[in-house]
Amino acid sequence: MLRVERRQKKRRNPRARLIALILACVLLISVGVTLALLRQEAPPEETAEAHTHGASAVIASRSPDEVAVIGVTLRDGESWVAVREGDELIVQGDDSFPIDRAMMNGILLAVSQIETGNVLTEHAEDWQDRLEEFGLDTPRAIVEVGYTDGTSLTLRIGSRMDDGDEKFFYLAVDGDSRLMTLDVGTEEELDVSRPLLRAVNQPVLHKARLDSIALQTPAGTSRWELDGSITDADAADRWLLVEPIRYPADGEAISNLRTNLQNFVLGAWEAEATAEALARCGLDSPRLTVTAHMAAGSLASTGADNTVTDYGEETFVLTVGGERTELTDYVLWEGNIYVASRFSLSGFLTLDPLSTLNRYPVLTSLSNLRSLTVENADGAVTYDVSYEEVVNPDNSLAADESGQPVYTASVTRNGEAMRWEAFENAYQSLLLVTVSGNLPEGWQPSGSAHTRMTFRTRTGVEHTIALYGWDAMHDAVEVDGETVFYLVRDGMRFDP
């Protein structure tokens, strides 16, 4: 049987306990002194990190009025210098000009208040032998600023970095050992080529005043005209394609064309229209010439004051030359060459005039119809429409929710009254008829039309539709004397 010995209790020694406590206190004091010394010898790591990676630096803090001169040299070698004259910055050269006012304000603010995003390092030896890595061997832009007190500053802007949510450019300043970052907004204000500095007076086109549009290319001319006045209530639906053929145009298609003209914006100024510049930009043999005529008229502003402005008759001419880039073209307007967006020109460059034709043969709305005569093998029938204003019991004219007068309509058939609802339903069906396809180019009808419809409007316009047999299943449709489309036989039967 194994024997388990009991551990005997030791008797406590008060003197030994006191000595142990004294030694522990001495040890704690020693450790505290050592830590304090270490703190004095080296700063905490996070403090050093904040000092070199995250701290911003103010490079310049001036008033915009203190900027006397600015020079910019871009990576491709292009450069410009602008000198203050009064409250303007004048770009120097043979063709000196003031910088666009809005652009000038942005540039002045950018070079008078310069604060870096981060200081990446304080020490030149950390980066000056690695300029390629930061795009500073050949900077995107070198910006030299002279101030009115005689001091100057040179900024060198390097490559762009997209580090997650953080986007910046590397920045070096002459005479400063630090490598820093510059925000994207400031870089965009300064990294500007000379032509973009020039103010561009944009053409002013009013959709409501347009009454003629022509597109001329080496292949031929397409031209649309308003058949009436710009003040007519139905002017939007009174446009005609008059070249290469004469045919009613679709109101929505012409509305889009007019909107594209009204919204057209010139890009940067390129050069004066000298013979040399025209040839260089492909404008001596243009791809397209846009000519738009605006009638004299009065337009109200959209502001709260509702000011009415009178405009005289004007003609806008824009010439499109060669391609500048994949997305831009050279254009000529009023003696100067500009760059224009391909997107803004595509609506004119690619427009097929036949795509703007109205594919609904009936051009007269029911509310504008005064009479309709239908002639066929059975004879001629004329429907006369009249409208009478509704009068309230107090002798005032009745109006609908939008404030428009309310009318009661009636119709007669060869002078005899007929039910309005029957005529209205038949006419609404007629308005929905569309053509089926295009006739062969140059096709002309032979013989007489088997059906002819003559529409007379309340505004004094007359339209005619004539149907001719084309093949066993289709009729050729002649609208106002022009035959372009065909439709299914009996597709335009009108018999209320």
Side-chain angles (χ1 to χ4, degrees), residues 35-56:
L35 289 173
L37 290 173
L38 288 172
R39 287 193 183 96
Q40 291 178 357
E41 291 174 4
E45 184 179 345
E46 60 178 335
T47 303
E49 183 72 16
H51 179 65
T52 59
H53 301 286
S56 62

Side-chain angles (χ1 to χ4, degrees), residues 9 63 75 110 122 195 213 227 234 331 339 368 382 398 463 467:
K9 290 184 179 180
S63 163
R75 179 171 285 171
E122 297 275 356
I213 302 169
D227 184 21
D234 58 347
V331 298
V339 177
N368 193 30
T382 297
H463 294 293
L467 303 178

Side-chain angles (χ1 to χ4, degrees), residues 132-350:
E132 267 187 50
E133 296 180 30
F134 311 108
L136 291 167
D137 54 334
T138 307
R140 290 175 63 96
I142 300 173
V143 182
E144 300 171 89
V145 188
Y147 300 101
T148 53
D149 62 2
T151 60
S152 61
L153 191 64
T154 300
L155 312 177
R156 298 179 185 272
I157 303 172
S159 300
R160 175 177 174 136
M161 284 294 294
D162 291 341
D163 185 12
D165 293 335
E166 188 178 7
K167 297 175 176 59
F168 60 85
F169 289 86
Y170 289 110
L171 173 68
V173 179
D174 284 10
D176 195 319
S177 64
R178 296 171 295 181
L179 177 65
M180 298 164 279
T181 68
L182 184 68
D183 67 275
V184 172
T186 301
E187 191 278 339
E188 289 177 345
E189 293 285 1
L190 301 175
D191 187 0
V192 181
S193 63
R194 191 177 192 273
L196 292 176
L197 298 171
R198 188 185 295 262
V200 175
N201 295 320
Q202 296 293 342
V204 178
L205 292 153
H206 297 131
K207 178 179 179 179
R209 294 172 54 218
L210 289 167
D211 62 2
S212 175
I213 302 169
L215 306 179
Q216 183 177 356
T217 70
T221 301
S222 304
R223 187 159 54 94
W224 297 262
E225 290 182 355
L226 175 63
D227 184 21
S229 169
I230 59 172
T231 57
D232 290 341
D234 58 347
D237 297 317
R238 296 274 299 279
W239 280 80
L240 300 172
L241 175 67
V242 296
E243 197 174 351
I245 63 171
R246 186 177 183 87
Y247 197 88
D250 177 67
E252 184 175 352
I254 300 303
S255 176
N256 291 337
L257 178 58
R258 291 158 59 217
T259 298
N260 288 341
L261 277 167
Q262 178 173 268
N263 293 340
F264 176 74
V265 176
L266 293 168
W269 180 89
E270 177 69 22
E272 291 184 4
T274 62
E276 179 184 356
L278 291 171
R280 175 174 61 85
C281 298
L283 287 159
D284 54 346
S285 53
R287 295 152 59 200
L288 171 70
T289 300
V290 181
T291 305
H293 181 265
M294 289 182 288
S298 301
L299 296 177
S301 67
T302 56
D305 56 357
N306 201 31
T307 303
V308 176
T309 304
D310 296 328
Y311 295 93
E313 182 181 14
E314 297 176 75
T315 300
F316 166 79
V317 180
L318 180 79
T319 306
V320 182
E323 298 179 357
R324 185 179 187 274
T325 68
E326 293 182 357
L327 299 175
T328 58
D329 295 299
Y330 291 114
V331 298
L332 171 66
W333 179 62
E334 292 193 344
N336 287 279
I337 300 172
Y338 301 87
V339 177
S341 160
R342 180 78 46 74
F343 177 78
S344 67
L345 294 170
S346 61
F348 313 121
L349 288 167
T350 62

